[in-house]
Amino acid sequence: MGVSTGRIRAAAVALLVLVAGALAACSGDDRDQARAAAKAFLDAWAAGNFGGAAQHTDAADTASAWLPEVQRQLDARAVAFTLGDTSADGD
C-alpha cells in the first residue's frame, strides 16, 4: 500500500512551514537562534500546540490553519521530532 497524494502534500506543507520558520530565524546569521526556533516549532507541534508552533514561522496564520490538517492527513495520533545538525549559509 503506497502513500496517498494527500499525505505527501501534507508532509511537503509541513516541511515548507518548518523551513520558512528556520530561515526567518536565520536572517541575522545566528545559528543558535535558528536552531532554537526550529526546536520550539517542533516541540510545540509534537505537543499538539499548533498555534504555538505557528508562531515560530513567518506565516503564523497559514501555519496555524494547516498544521492540524497535516497531522490529520498523516493519520498521526502523536508525533515526535528530532532536530538534526544545523548549519548556516557558508558553513
Side-chain angles (χ1 to χ4, degrees), residues 36-84:
K39 182 175 181 347
F41 171 85
L42 295 173
D43 288 347
W45 186 7
N49 181 359
F50 303 119
Q55 294 304 310
H56 296 284
T57 71
D58 63 348
D61 291 340
T62 302
S64 186
W66 275 98
L67 287 173
E69 181 63 14
V70 168
Q71 191 155 337
R72 186 193 69 74
Q73 287 189 21
L74 292 174
D75 197 21
R77 291 188 185 142
V79 294
F81 299 104
T82 302
L83 183 61

Side-chain angles (χ1 to χ4, degrees), residues 7-19 41 45 62-63 66-67 70:
R7 287 185 182 187
I8 293 170
R9 185 177 300 129
V13 169
L15 289 174
L16 289 173
V17 169
L18 175 61
V19 169
F41 171 85
W45 186 7
T62 302
W66 275 98
L67 287 173
V70 168

Side-chain angles (χ1 to χ4, degrees), residues 1-32:
M1 179 179 249
V3 177
S4 74
T5 302
R7 287 185 182 187
I8 293 170
R9 185 177 300 129
V13 169
L15 289 174
L16 289 173
V17 169
L18 175 61
V19 169
L23 290 176
C26 254
S27 63
D29 203 17
D30 185 350
R31 186 181 322 168
D32 292 335

